[in-house]
Amino acid sequence: RTFRPTWLRTFRFIQLEIQTGDEPLTVSDFYNVYTSSPVPVKARFSASDPAYARVFDLCRRTAELCTQDYFLSDAYYETMQYLGDSKVHDLTWLALTGDDRHVRNALEQFHYSRLWDGNLTSCYPLRSTFVHPTYSVIWVDMLYDYYLWSGDKEFLKKFVPGIRQTLAMFDGLLQPSGLAGKTRWDYFVDWYSEPGARGGLAPGQDGSNSAVVTLHYVYALQNAARIFDVLGEPQQAQAYRQRADFIKKRVYETCYDAGRGLVAERPTKDYFDQHTNILAVLTDALPEARQKPVLQKILTEPGLGQATYYYRIYLFEALHKAGAGDLVPQALAPWKTLLTDGLTTTPERFESANKPTRSECHPWSTAPAWAFFSTVAGIRPTEPGFRTLDFAPQFGELTSLAGTYPIPAGEVAFELEKVGTGLSGSVTLPVGVSGTLVWMGKKTPLRAGKQEIRVKE
């Protein structure tokens, strides 16, 4: 009998060191047995642009290799479960498999890692203690992500004390200005690739007065309010909403630059990045009318700090929120470059002289595998657990979409083609699921089973 553990490491090159004697040696064969998660991937995605299916495969392969005993940050370099990484990994894994066991495990493990001050450890289980308060509040976002997908209200209840403590911790970091101040730990936003960037913060940032760090707290407050509404605690939900509204207003007042039409990373307005403006859209710190123009601007204006693979999950979410699916090709451009470079999995960060990538198999870079369904195909639950859903495709440059998307009740299958300004094809929903197809302002009811789609302008 053969026992093969799920733990493994990825690699790109093999070095054979052979010392021969008097006789020559011929190596006639060498092979590696491919090993990945035993949880089967059910999702499929393709589009009129074949690069979309190839990017999907990059993401799928990465997630399969890095989902072992728990979610790994990578299967080559650190091989640890990081909180911010799991924000992406959770959604990708649910989209690929419809299996929530690793997601539930990650949420519980990070809950168990909570320190005396309310922070979660950024990497757990681990003997060492890494802490990033931005990661701690992202855990609240992950709880709400899971609830939307599963509809499992009972699972949320045990985390209530932890949510309260973690949000109170971050609130204690705010200054009278309403922006986050310095912390005994380190904030982390993204691997900025410009010279002068330090430890996951923007160039020139010392950990105080960061608009994007502050908006991460606002986003967590908003998601916590939604959770407490679900759990029947409207007073706590309202308190979190009021706090979020006050803080995001202060961020806008101190950091919005009317001349640039962007939110600066800090009140000095000497640095602008994509990250801050993405979060300003997601939290409604920016007025709704300015949200799509700002997203267009950050994807075309040179000189802005760039959101790398990890942070673009927030970009895809912002594009969906603003109805800006036509901008997906620009957001997807870094992954198309990976195809040109010959990668078979997704790397950790943008390559630069300042920040060379360390890992070429990093699941925090797999957001397209989720965004292709949630933003491009536009499949979103209108009732937690996908008992009802909206199907609002945003084709952008594409003319056709096809795929299979696992949800708790089964699988959503679709084959859709844009014909002029009309839509044709088919959609199949699992038993017990209904929905609405939204196209060019028209709403078409969807029922369980397969149905033909014919929507004219």
Side-chain angles (χ1 to χ4, degrees):
R1 299 182 63 183
T2 301
F3 172 71
R4 182 176 293 127
T6 58
W7 193 91
L8 62 135
R9 283 185 183 271
T10 58
F11 57 89
R12 181 168 288 274
F13 302 104
I14 292 292
Q15 179 173 314
L16 299 180
E17 296 185 1
I18 301 171
Q19 183 174 351
T20 63
D22 295 334
E23 297 181 6
L25 174 71
T26 300
V27 178
S28 58
D29 191 18
F30 178 86
Y31 66 92
N32 173 65
V33 177
Y34 180 84
T35 308
S36 66
S37 171
V39 179
V41 167
K42 299 176 181 178
R44 301 290 182 271
F45 188 86
S46 61
S48 52
D49 180 352
Y52 280 67
R54 293 177 63 199
V55 168
F56 182 82
D57 283 342
L58 285 182
C59 298
R60 172 193 55 77
R61 193 177 295 111
T62 304
E64 284 182 313
L65 289 168
C66 296
T67 307
Q68 299 182 18
D69 295 346
Y70 48 83
F71 283 148
L72 300 186
S73 60
D74 64 290
Y76 165 71
Y77 183 71
E78 290 175 301
T79 65
M80 298 188 291
Q81 182 174 254
Y82 271 93
L83 202 159
D85 305 46
S86 294
K87 157 70 177 175
V88 185
H89 204 157
D90 281 7
L91 292 171
T92 299
W93 192 245
L94 290 173
L96 289 173
T97 68
D99 190 297
D100 66 5
R101 287 172 291 179
H102 280 86
V103 176
R104 292 164 65 93
N105 177 64
L107 291 169
E108 289 177 333
Q109 290 293 327
F110 290 121
H111 179 53
Y112 301 153
S113 80
R114 185 172 283 99
L115 303 178
W116 59 270
D117 65 353
N119 266 298
L120 308 178
T121 59
S122 299
C123 183
Y124 192 82
L126 186 69
R127 295 188 189 94
S128 303
T129 302
F130 298 157
V131 176
H132 303 91
T134 33
Y135 274 14
S136 296
V137 293
I138 286 172
W139 174 78
V140 179
D141 306 331
M142 292 163 60
L143 284 171
Y144 188 65
D145 289 342
Y146 172 73
Y147 172 67
L148 278 182
W149 185 86
S150 69
D152 188 351
K153 182 167 66 175
E154 291 300 312
F155 185 71
L156 294 180
K157 290 180 178 178
K158 62 183 168 185
F159 301 113
V160 166
I163 294 171
R164 294 181 191 272
Q165 187 188 10
T166 293
L167 292 177
M169 170 277 300
F170 206 100
D171 206 68
L173 300 175
L174 298 191
Q175 305 167 102
S177 66
L179 273 69
K182 289 186 179 181
T183 169
R184 64 190 294 265
W185 309 106
D186 292 317
Y187 296 119
F188 182 92
V189 176
D190 193 6
W191 285 125
Y192 290 81
S193 57
E194 304 103 309
R198 182 187 67 83
L201 290 173
Q205 178 56 255
D206 63 359
S208 63
N209 293 314
S210 169
V212 67
V213 166
T214 307
L215 289 174
H216 267 291
Y217 177 50
V218 170
Y219 197 43
L221 285 170
Q222 293 170 336
N223 283 323
R226 297 175 181 116
I227 289 171
F228 279 93
D229 275 337
V230 167
L231 298 180
E233 296 193 36
Q235 290 182 327
Q236 182 66 83
Q238 183 61 15
Y240 284 148
R241 281 195 186 90
Q242 290 175 345
R243 186 65 172 144
D245 289 345
F246 170 79
I247 297 168
K248 74 182 185 184
K249 181 180 178 183
R250 294 296 298 133
V251 170
Y252 184 79
E253 290 171 346
T254 57
C255 297
Y256 183 71
D257 187 302
R260 295 287 299 271
L262 296 171
V263 182
E265 197 277 338
R266 43 189 175 259
T268 52
K269 300 179 183 177
D270 58 345
Y271 183 81
F272 292 83
D273 59 9
Q274 293 181 333
H275 311 74
T276 305
N277 290 278
I278 291 167
L279 260 291
V281 170
L282 287 180
T283 60
D284 288 315
L286 274 168
E288 185 175 351
R290 295 180 184 169
Q291 291 178 10
K292 185 171 181 179
V294 161
L295 292 172
Q296 291 171 323
K297 191 176 183 67
I298 65 172
L299 285 169
T300 55
E301 183 172 312
L304 299 177
Q306 295 292 296
T308 69
Y309 307 106
Y310 156 61
Y311 210 83
R312 291 197 175 214
I313 193 164
Y314 299 102
L315 174 57
F316 287 123
E317 188 70 357
L319 294 178
H320 170 80
K321 181 179 182 297
D326 54 308
L327 300 177
V328 166
Q330 290 97 309
L332 192 64
W335 283 273
K336 288 190 173 183
T337 299
L338 298 180
L339 300 177
T340 304
D341 291 343
L343 271 76
T344 56
T345 50
T346 57
E348 179 182 10
R349 58 195 181 196
F350 289 177
E351 186 74 29
S352 71
N354 185 49
K355 290 284 185 184
T357 195
R358 301 175 298 180
S359 162
E360 293 182 349
C361 190
H362 229 74
W364 80 351
S365 302
T366 59
W370 168 77
F372 286 165
F373 296 108
S374 62
T375 299
V376 178
I379 306 172
R380 298 271 174 155
T382 50
E383 187 180 358
F386 280 97
R387 289 183 285 271
T388 60
L389 57 82
D390 270 352
F391 204 132
Q394 299 187 65
F395 278 71
E397 64 179 354
L398 303 173
T399 57
S400 66
L401 301 173
T404 303
Y405 181 41
I407 61 175
E411 296 175 7
V412 177
F414 56 93
E415 291 185 14
L416 296 171
E417 184 178 4
K418 184 170 63 173
V419 182
T421 55
L423 188 67
S424 67
S426 66
V427 172
T428 305
L429 300 185
V431 174
V433 176
S434 61
T436 304
L437 177 72
V438 182
W439 179 255
M440 296 292 183
K442 294 182 179 180
K443 295 185 177 182
T444 304
L446 297 173
R447 51 173 172 72
K450 184 175 181 178
Q451 52 239 276
E452 297 300 314
I453 301 298
R454 296 288 184 273
V455 182
K456 296 182 180 179
E457 183 181 6

